[in-house]
Amino acid sequence: MGDRVLSEAAHNSGGGGTVEYIQHHLTNLCVGDCDPVTHQASGFWSLHLDTIFFGYLIAALIVFVGWRVGSSLNPDKPSGFQNFVEMILDFVSTQVKDTFPGHNPLIAPLALTIFLWVFLMNFMDLIPVDLLPMIASGLGIPYLKVVPTTDLNTTLAMSLTVFVLVVFYSIKVKGPVGYLKMFLFHPFGKFFVPVNIVMTTIEELAKPLSLALRLFGNLFAGELVFLLIALIGGTLTVGAAALFWFPLQVVLDLGWLIFHLLVITLQAFIFMVLTIVYLGMAHTEEH
Amino acid sequence: MPPVFLFGVRTMKTPPQMGWLLVGVGSHLAAMVVVGFVLGYALDFWLETRPLLMFIFGCLGFVGGILKAHKMLSRWG
């Protein structure tokens, strides 16, 4: 409700050009139970079409490139791209070997999928912020948020999938009784069972939440900084002043882009490594 | 350390390189406080005891978060 009032105030103020610009770029293309004024999700059955589209598009790209590389493998004379793919595979495989305590054939493919998918979704942040929304508005699409990881639904869905796997393997390895014991007697022993249940439940639920919020927060903030830099040479200045502000915008944008290249890689890597670590903890007998 | 086979999945007694968990100490602490409050809020809503459980669970989340952070940092720090 508060959001709607704020948004309406911004719409009615007349001078909210910059506010409107940022709000427009941070609004998803929502269908279903959506608020007609703010275009935000207002019920369970609301879908963010842009997030779904770009997420699936990137997934399809990974599958297609993987299939092309897989069908043209040459062990005697590997191409440059084959070497590059092998380098990524080797990197992920080393991480899994170093971090994962046991052996499970699911972990390495899962880690590779997470790393590539999250990295490429994050990489969409480096496309100029106005380019794709402008093309989309030309095609009659009013809102377009191109980075799927700046939508909490994406990151939470991924981390909840990891959470389900963690619970599954915890029960599989420790057994239902062993898993239940972890809730009953950890961390304060057998005399504080009610407190232990609450605390361990909170601790377990905090894992997927922190995983999701870290990725979402970093990418959302990064997107916001790109939007603010875009405003320097755009809406904020008109006429001759743009001659001064435009070079500043170019320098700042380039600087943030180079820095953000590190951030997107690091966030994809952290998401992958923590997935391996959490699944590794599920495979160990002690908590 | 010899591996142990359990339900067809190989396990070990202690995790070898869990140091990467330190990357998430801060966000895990914050997430535990948030989850505590949300869980308490949901139970309050159900049992109509607002704000009792929200406060208790929030405090437990904070205490648990500090304990967890201390445990991780003292093990690998």
Side-chain angles (χ1 to χ4, degrees):
Chain A
M1 183 63 198
D3 283 344
R4 186 192 290 189
V5 172
L6 274 177
S7 175
E8 279 176 358
H11 274 281
N12 297 336
S13 66
T18 54
V19 177
E20 229 170 272
Y21 173 82
I22 291 174
Q23 274 185 347
H24 182 268
H25 277 71
L26 295 179
T27 306
N28 283 101
L29 181 63
C30 183
V31 293
D33 292 344
C34 306
D35 192 301
V37 178
T38 60
H39 300 280
Q40 302 288 339
S42 61
F44 183 77
W45 286 111
S46 53
L47 297 172
H48 287 170
L49 278 188
D50 43 5
T51 300
I52 295 170
F53 174 75
F54 284 110
Y56 275 91
L57 186 74
I58 291 162
L61 182 78
I62 295 170
V63 171
F64 177 70
V65 172
W67 171 72
R68 280 294 300 271
V69 172
S71 60
S72 61
L73 282 177
N74 188 349
D76 302 320
K77 198 181 167 192
S79 64
F81 192 67
Q82 187 185 327
N83 275 329
F84 176 67
V85 172
E86 281 180 8
M87 192 186 77
I88 296 172
L89 279 172
D90 195 44
F91 169 70
V92 175
S93 169
T94 311
Q95 288 302 322
V96 173
K97 275 179 199 155
D98 287 350
T99 318
F100 192 70
H103 172 76
N104 188 338
L106 180 83
I107 306 300
L110 178 75
L112 182 70
T113 309
I114 285 176
F115 181 67
L116 289 178
W117 203 22
V118 172
F119 176 77
L120 287 176
M121 283 196 286
N122 292 351
F123 195 84
M124 298 291 285
D125 217 2
L126 303 185
I127 296 173
V129 283
D130 282 322
L131 183 66
L132 292 180
M134 216 183 267
I135 294 170
S137 70
L139 296 170
I141 300 166
Y143 294 96
L144 193 77
K145 203 168 147 191
V146 293
V147 193
T149 38
T150 55
D151 188 348
L152 191 58
N153 295 299
T154 312
T155 57
L156 211 52
M158 293 183 83
S159 67
L160 283 177
T161 310
V162 172
F163 178 65
V164 168
L165 281 172
V166 167
V167 173
F168 172 74
Y169 281 112
S170 291
I171 294 173
K172 194 176 175 183
V173 172
K174 297 177 177 106
V177 179
Y179 187 61
L180 208 64
K181 265 186 190 169
M182 192 181 89
F183 279 83
L184 294 177
F185 306 125
H186 169 86
F188 294 127
K190 59 184 176 183
F191 298 112
F192 293 95
V193 170
V195 178
N196 290 342
I197 292 174
V198 173
M199 220 171 235
T200 315
T201 308
I202 291 172
E203 194 185 317
E204 290 301 304
L205 289 175
K207 283 177 188 173
L209 190 74
S210 71
L211 207 58
L213 285 181
R214 186 185 307 108
L215 182 60
F216 165 74
N218 276 287
L219 268 292
F220 189 84
E223 174 88 339
L224 200 59
V225 172
F226 272 124
L227 288 173
L228 291 172
I229 293 171
L231 277 168
I232 293 174
T235 327
L236 284 181
T237 51
V238 280
L243 290 173
F244 170 72
W245 290 110
F246 182 69
L248 181 73
Q249 182 196 5
V250 171
V251 171
L252 283 176
D253 209 24
L254 185 68
W256 183 244
L257 192 139
I258 293 167
F259 179 70
H260 207 57
L261 204 57
L262 178 76
V263 173
I264 62 167
T265 317
L266 194 69
Q267 287 308 317
F269 176 72
I270 287 174
F271 200 105
M272 177 195 78
V273 163
L274 286 182
T275 300
I276 305 169
V277 170
Y278 288 149
L279 284 167
M281 283 164 79
H283 281 72
T284 52
E285 284 165 85
E286 63 182 47
H287 185 67
Chain B
M1 186 181 299
V4 182
F5 282 89
L6 212 66
F7 299 101
V9 179
R10 189 154 56 102
T11 64
M12 279 185 168
K13 288 278 180 196
T14 47
Q17 280 198 355
M18 297 287 182
W20 276 108
L21 276 175
L22 293 178
V23 171
V25 168
S27 57
H28 196 261
L29 170 60
M32 276 190 77
V33 180
V34 172
V35 169
F37 271 112
V38 171
L39 212 61
Y41 182 81
L43 279 176
D44 271 338
F45 194 75
W46 183 43
L47 301 170
E48 295 179 354
T49 51
R50 206 161 65 168
L52 189 70
L53 292 177
M54 190 168 78
F55 180 73
I56 294 172
F57 280 33
C59 288
L60 280 176
F62 182 71
V63 172
I66 294 284
L67 279 175
K68 182 82 184 166
H70 179 258
K71 194 178 154 191
M72 284 199 277
L73 288 168
S74 54
R75 191 185 292 184
W76 287 292

